[in-house]
């Protein structure tokens, strides 16, 4: 047990020395579960993924269709506003850039912000430029396996820090909606669920933008 504590501290110091531990954060080896409300059940017959708003044509994909899309793998550090950080997590899923490159989503020039819509009406907002970055993924897999139900199965938005890419904006983890069901492209920004509850709209982990 004391070995475990020592090991955690050592790894935390290594991350700090590497410039990968944002201010006020602590390293965890676990994967905490945080959300408001119950874990929804998944029905592959009725599940769909929808895109609407500032797009040339709304899109609706079934679970089967969504799974045929080309997937991307991203390794990144997760930073939660509740102060835990988890390093080198491996995610697979569909990037929004892929949806655009395939012509499935054609953005209107007025599109500037994106709202993630999840089960039970949960929402999370991000600027379009952040959603198009390599560190934002519509993730189906974590650590080589389908997501656990409590981490968002079958689909979640996920955002984290890519060590070689300090140029990319990195918001806290709450900006990725678990149990994701759609993306709304917007001309104007709107606050999501936690943003309405007082969390910071930009949520930059390096600037420690926790609360608004
Ligand atoms: N649908 C949904 N997604 C959500 C939330 C939520 O309440 N509902 N909470 C967010 C918050 S506050 C955090 S910190 C992360 C936690 O993700 P994890 O449970 O996989 O660690 O999910 C985010 N996504
Ligand atoms: Mo959170």
């Amino acid at each position: 047990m004391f070995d475990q504590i020592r090991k955690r501290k050592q790894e935390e110091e290594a991350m700090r020395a590497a410039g990968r531990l944002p201010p006020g954060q602590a390293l965890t080896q676990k994967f905490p579960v945080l959300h408001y409300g119950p874990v929804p059940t998944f029905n592959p017959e009725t599940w769909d993924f929808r895109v609407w708003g500032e797009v040339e044509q709304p899109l609706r994909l079934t679970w089967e269709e969504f799974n045929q899309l080309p997937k991307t793998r991203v390794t990144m550090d997760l930073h939660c506003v509740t102060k835990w950080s988890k390093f080198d997590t491996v995610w697979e899923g569909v990037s929004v850039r892929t949806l655009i490159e395939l012509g499935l989503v054609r953005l209107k020039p007025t599109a500037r912000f994106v709202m993630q819509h999840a089960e039970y009406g949960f929402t999370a907002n991000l600027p379009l430029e952040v959603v198009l970055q390599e560190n934002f993924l519509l993730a189906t897999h974590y650590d080589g396996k389908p997501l656990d139900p409590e981490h968002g199965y079958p689909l979640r938005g996920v955002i984290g820090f890519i060590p070689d890419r300090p140029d990319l904006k990195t918001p806290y983890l709450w900006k990725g909606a678990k149990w994701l069901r759609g993306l709304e492209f917007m001309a104007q920004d709107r606050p999501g669920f936690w943003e309405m509850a007082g969390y910071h709209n930009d949520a930059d982990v390096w600037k420690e933008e926790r609360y608004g």
Side-chain angles (χ1 to χ4, degrees), residues 31-36 80 84 118 122 150-151 156 173-174 176-179 194:
F31 193 170
V33 173
L34 285 154
H35 56 261
Y36 177 81
C80 179
W84 56 265
F122 181 86
E150 60 270 28
H151 286 297
R156 76 174 294 170
L173 184 61
W174 90 72
K178 304 196 281 189
W179 313 294
W194 290 112

Side-chain angles (χ1 to χ4, degrees), residues 4 7 17 30 39 43 71-72 82 87 94-95 108 113-114 117 141 153 167-168 180 205 212:
Q4 271 301 100
K7 194 164 159 265
K30 304 182 200 118
V39 174
N43 179 348
K71 286 184 180 160
T72 310
T82 62
F87 293 87
V94 178
S95 76
K108 288 188 176 169
F113 298 92
V114 182
H117 289 266
H141 288 68
Y153 181 76
D167 55 308
L168 304 179
L180 184 67
V205 302

Side-chain angles (χ1 to χ4, degrees), residues 192-208:
F193 179 89
W194 290 112
E195 292 78 9
M196 282 191 274
Y199 285 42
H200 200 289
N201 197 52
D202 302 330
D204 190 306
V205 302
W206 299 106
K207 297 182 194 159
E208 211 175 351

Side-chain angles (χ1 to χ4, degrees), residues 21-33:
L21 191 71
Q25 295 296 110
L27 178 145
T28 182
Q29 275 137 347
K30 304 182 200 118
F31 193 170
V33 173

Side-chain angles (χ1 to χ4, degrees), residues 88-134:
D88 299 312
T89 66
V90 181
W91 298 86
E92 272 165 56
V94 178
S95 76
V96 177
R97 223 170 251 283
T98 296
L99 294 174
I100 292 170
E101 281 164 9
L102 290 173
L104 288 168
V105 172
R106 280 177 295 133
L107 297 180
K108 288 188 176 169
T110 44
R112 287 185 53 221
F113 298 92
V114 182
M115 189 70 84
Q116 298 164 68
H117 289 266
E119 302 285 355
Y120 301 135
F122 181 86
T123 50
N125 63 315
L126 281 170
L128 175 63
E129 70 206 55
V130 175
V131 162
L132 296 179
Q133 290 177 171
E134 289 89 328

